Amino acid sequence: MKRKVGPIIAILISIAIFIILITFSDSILGNSQNDMFTEETVSYQELKKNHSPEDAARIAGLNYVDASKEDTLMEKKAYDMFHRGRIAPGRNYVTDNTFGSRFMYYISGSSRHIVAKRYDRLWSESPMTFVIVTLMYFLITDSIILYYYRKRQILSKDIQSVTENLRRVRKNKEMSSLILSPDDELYGLVEQTNKISMDINELRDDVRLRERRFRGLVGHLPIGVMLLNSQGDVLMHNQAMASLLDANISNDIHPFIEDVKTYSLSRMIEHTLRKNKNHHREIQLVGNSQKYVDASVIRLIHSREDFDQQVLVILYDLTESRQFERVQVDFVNNVSHELKTPVTSIEGFSETLLGGAKNDPAKLDHFLDIIHSESVRLSELIQDILSLSKVKKDNNKADVVNLRDDVEHILDHQSLSIKKHNLTVKKEFTGNPEVTINKEKVNLVFRNLIKNAISYNKENGEIDIEVHHDDIENRIKLIVKDTGIGISEEDQGRIFERFYRVDRSRSLETGGTGLGLAIVKETLDTLDGDIRVESHQGLGTKFIVDIPL
């Protein structure tokens, strides 16, 4: 309300000042007109000596008025003033003012003959000029009033904005930016306030960025992380923890017991909350995951003044480690079993020969053939085990390899087996045969796939070998297809396991170790390659290998 009354009072004051100025100016003009009338009456007195009063008045520029008559306006006014005593001897000069005119009268002696003259007042001198000046006055004054009123409004608004910003700072809220011109009265204050706002916003952004990075870091950790408050409510967790607990953990604050279903882990957390002691134990989680984890429950106190403790739960997945340990145990058992068979055969037939069978030429040759066959099988088993161990070594050595020559070389080494089974080998090479790749590893893949196609083929069967080098995508594709016994759908998912055999009796006949396809798969993993199998039982098998260069 005060803001609206202020301009009205200012405008009323400007009107009052205008009236005072006009009145004062009109008074000055009246004095000037009075002086002029006095000079003219003096001339009239001098002219009256030689002329009649009427002619003297006319020559002096005055109006001769007969106070005994009432024919004209001046005569009526002079008559009224004369009879009212306003014009009388001793009061020679009389002025009568109306809104637009000023009438001056003069009487000499005791005569009723009066001279008068009409003058315009200030606003009647030039009405148009007076109107223009009046409009300009009010336009200027009102503009000044409105300008300062508007400036005061802006100043008041800026002060309110600064006050509101300081209030928002106190309440830890984001401030709004203010923009002023350098000549503004509050420019310095607002500039400092804006700088404070920018500093605070930068600090808040930095805190948000740090929090986002921290949550992103925790979210991408391979270990499960869960943060609890002193009441056991979940404040934060990552996806790894949800995966390990096999639970859809809510982002809202809630009791940990809603997510932790494993009794031993729950007891560890509760004991830490009550006793303020850390715990570390290996446990098996219940539920669908059934995973083994290394669990740590740690009490956190950030400072001596921070009495609201927090509890950090960390779960490290040991499932793969335990599976790897079982695989190692199984591998050792399988290797021991596979080694025991040929060693037992060699030992048994050697004892038989030493016991006297060597004297029989037929038995000697037969037993020596068996010993040789088992020793070859033992040598191949040892070689495959060594190849399997070398595959995992970080060997990134790359050589220029001619794929055509290497395939031909492998087929030459297997020529006796190929002839023994009367197999037909078809070869197809496309693209540049020379590539840069680890020669030892790629030959290991070729050799085991070709050997596998020979070992599990039928008599008078066929082997199709295709080697394609794609220069555009820079990768090689190997296809080895046979017409052998094939692989059932049940076995296709396990053929790349170590010591797994589709037909164990066939492997014993051909001397297979059960490690060939496992070597191929693990070698391709080190080359970022891929292998697929297409097979139907009794219709042959096709292996498709894709290796990027």
Side-chain angles (χ1 to χ4, degrees):
M1 186 66 182
K2 293 181 179 179
R3 296 180 183 176
K4 296 182 178 178
V5 172
I8 296 175
I9 295 175
I11 292 173
L12 292 175
I13 292 173
S14 70
I15 294 173
I17 293 173
F18 178 76
I19 293 173
I20 293 171
L21 289 175
I22 293 300
T23 303
F24 180 71
S25 300
D26 183 65
S27 176
I28 294 174
L29 178 62
N31 292 334
S32 177
Q33 290 172 345
N34 188 51
D35 293 340
M36 291 175 59
F37 184 69
T38 301
E39 292 176 359
E40 290 172 346
T41 57
V42 171
S43 299
Y44 164 71
Q45 291 290 345
E46 294 293 329
L47 291 171
K48 194 170 64 168
K49 296 177 181 180
N50 299 319
H51 299 82
S52 62
E54 292 87 349
D55 291 338
R58 179 175 52 80
I59 294 171
L62 301 174
N63 295 315
Y64 181 79
V65 179
D66 187 355
S68 61
K69 297 180 180 180
E70 296 183 58
D71 295 335
T72 64
L73 178 62
M74 280 188 177
E75 290 175 344
K76 288 181 180 180
K77 286 182 174 291
Y79 179 82
D80 291 339
M81 287 188 291
F82 187 81
H83 284 82
R84 292 176 182 174
R86 292 185 62 191
I87 301 177
R91 284 185 287 187
N92 297 345
Y93 292 96
V94 177
T95 300
D96 184 33
N97 292 323
T98 63
F99 178 77
S101 303
R102 180 179 286 112
F103 294 93
M104 294 186 179
Y105 298 91
Y106 172 75
I107 184 171
S108 59
S110 59
S111 173
R112 292 183 65 179
H113 295 285
I114 302 168
V115 292
K117 190 171 183 179
R118 177 184 175 278
Y119 292 95
D120 291 327
R121 300 195 74 169
L122 178 64
W123 46 86
S124 299
E125 286 280 345
S126 178
M128 184 60 67
T129 303
F130 181 78
V131 171
I132 293 173
V133 171
T134 302
L135 291 175
M136 290 183 65
Y137 170 81
F138 283 108
L139 180 63
I140 293 172
T141 55
D142 291 349
S143 296
I144 293 172
I145 291 170
L146 292 175
Y147 169 75
Y148 281 102
Y149 172 68
R150 178 61 179 165
K151 189 174 181 181
R152 182 181 177 83
Q153 277 188 321
I154 295 173
L155 182 62
S156 177
K157 184 178 179 181
D158 291 340
I159 292 174
Q160 287 182 349
S161 298
V162 173
T163 305
E164 178 63 24
N165 273 347
L166 295 176
R167 186 179 297 111
R168 294 176 70 87
V169 169
R170 185 172 59 85
K171 293 183 178 181
N172 198 26
K173 295 182 179 179
E174 188 173 352
M175 297 172 59
S176 58
S177 181
L178 299 177
I179 301 176
L180 296 179
S181 59
D183 57 346
D184 196 282
E185 297 176 6
L186 296 178
Y187 179 77
L189 176 62
V190 171
E191 185 180 23
Q192 293 302 318
T193 305
N194 287 339
K195 287 181 179 180
I196 292 174
S197 174
M198 292 174 62
D199 293 340
I200 292 175
N201 288 337
E202 287 180 359
L203 288 174
R204 285 178 178 150
D205 292 340
D206 185 58
V207 170
R208 293 192 193 100
L209 180 60
R210 289 174 180 269
E211 182 179 0
R212 193 160 53 246
R213 285 177 175 174
F214 174 73
R215 289 187 177 274
L217 175 64
V218 172
H220 289 85
L221 285 176
I223 61 176
V225 177
M226 178 182 286
L227 183 66
L228 311 177
N229 60 15
S230 57
Q231 286 75 41
D233 296 325
V234 179
L235 302 178
M236 185 184 66
H237 71 281
N238 64 354
Q239 187 58 40
M241 176 62 78
S243 177
L244 288 172
L245 296 178
D246 193 26
N248 186 15
I249 303 177
S250 173
N251 291 323
D252 300 329
I253 297 177
H254 62 280
F256 78 91
I257 200 68
E258 295 181 6
D259 308 313
V260 180
K261 304 302 180 182
T262 303
Y263 177 74
S264 56
L265 179 59
S266 179
R267 284 293 304 274
M268 290 170 63
I269 296 173
E270 290 177 355
H271 193 267
T272 300
L273 289 171
R274 289 198 310 269
K275 304 296 184 180
N276 294 329
K277 292 184 179 180
N278 300 337
H279 291 278
H280 176 252
R281 188 184 305 168
E282 182 178 327
I283 61 177
Q284 184 178 11
L285 299 175
V286 300
N288 296 329
S289 61
Q290 294 286 319
K291 292 184 177 180
Y292 290 92
V293 295
D294 182 276
S296 297
V297 183
I298 305 168
R299 170 178 172 263
L300 301 177
I301 295 181
H302 303 292
S303 64
R304 292 182 179 179
E305 294 77 15
D306 189 1
F307 298 102
D308 186 16
Q309 69 167 353
Q310 293 179 328
V311 173
L312 182 65
V313 182
I314 301 175
L315 300 183
Y316 183 78
D317 191 0
L318 298 176
T319 307
E320 289 187 4
S321 299
R322 296 295 172 263
Q323 290 176 348
F324 182 71
E325 290 175 1
R326 286 197 297 270
V327 168
Q328 285 182 319
V329 172
D330 293 341
F331 180 74
V332 172
N333 292 335
N334 287 328
V335 168
S336 300
H337 177 74
E338 294 295 333
L339 288 174
K340 183 178 180 181
T341 302
V343 169
T344 301
S345 297
I346 293 172
E347 181 183 6
F349 287 110
S350 298
E351 290 178 354
T352 302
L353 289 175
L354 291 174
K358 62 182 179 180
N359 297 322
D360 186 345
K363 289 183 179 181
L364 177 62
D365 292 341
H366 177 67
F367 289 165
L368 288 176
D369 286 339
I370 294 175
I371 291 173
H372 177 265
S373 176
E374 293 298 331
S375 63
V376 169
R377 181 184 169 199
L378 181 61
S379 176
E380 289 180 352
L381 178 60
I382 294 172
Q383 184 60 44
D384 283 347
I385 293 173
L386 292 175
S387 298
L388 201 58
S389 65
K390 289 180 181 179
V391 165
K392 294 299 182 181
K393 292 183 179 179
D394 188 16
N395 184 6
N396 294 322
K397 180 182 178 182
D399 304 304
V400 177
V401 179
N402 190 305
L403 300 177
R404 185 193 298 270
D405 293 343
D406 284 12
V407 171
E408 294 288 356
H409 184 71
I410 293 170
L411 291 173
D412 288 341
H413 275 72
Q414 299 292 332
S415 58
L416 293 177
S417 298
I418 293 172
K419 291 179 180 179
K420 179 180 178 182
H421 298 287
N422 196 24
L423 302 176
T424 302
V425 180
K426 297 179 181 179
K427 296 165 290 183
E428 180 181 347
F429 299 90
T430 59
N432 186 1
E434 292 189 351
V435 297
T436 302
I437 197 171
N438 189 300
K439 181 181 179 67
E440 183 178 355
K441 290 185 178 181
V442 74
N443 282 339
L444 200 60
V445 172
F446 287 178
R447 182 165 55 252
N448 280 282
L449 287 178
I450 293 173
K451 184 178 179 181
N452 191 78
I454 296 171
S455 299
Y456 291 92
N457 215 325
K458 296 178 180 179
E459 293 294 328
N460 303 315
E462 295 182 357
I463 299 176
D464 293 332
I465 300 173
E466 299 179 20
V467 180
H468 306 283
H469 177 203
D470 191 334
D471 292 320
I472 298 176
E473 296 188 3
N474 198 26
R475 59 198 315 117
I476 58 175
K477 183 176 183 180
L478 170 67
I479 299 176
V480 178
K481 181 180 179 183
D482 62 59
T483 57
I485 61 175
I487 306 171
S488 65
E489 292 185 5
E490 294 80 8
D491 292 326
Q492 289 180 20
R494 300 189 60 190
I495 58 175
F496 297 108
E497 296 179 10
R498 297 177 178 181
F499 296 108
Y500 184 80
R501 296 182 176 89
V502 174
D503 188 343
R504 188 169 185 85
S505 62
R506 184 66 174 265
S507 298
L508 294 175
E509 292 178 7
T510 58
T513 62
L515 293 174
L517 292 179
I519 294 173
V520 171
K521 182 66 172 64
E522 295 186 25
T523 303
L524 288 174
D525 288 341
T526 64
L527 295 173
D528 296 325
D530 180 57
I531 184 169
R532 292 180 290 115
V533 59
E534 297 177 3
S535 181
H536 296 281
Q537 201 163 12
L539 299 177
T541 303
K542 178 166 71 173
F543 288 98
I544 304 168
V545 175
D546 187 75
I547 305 174
L549 299 177

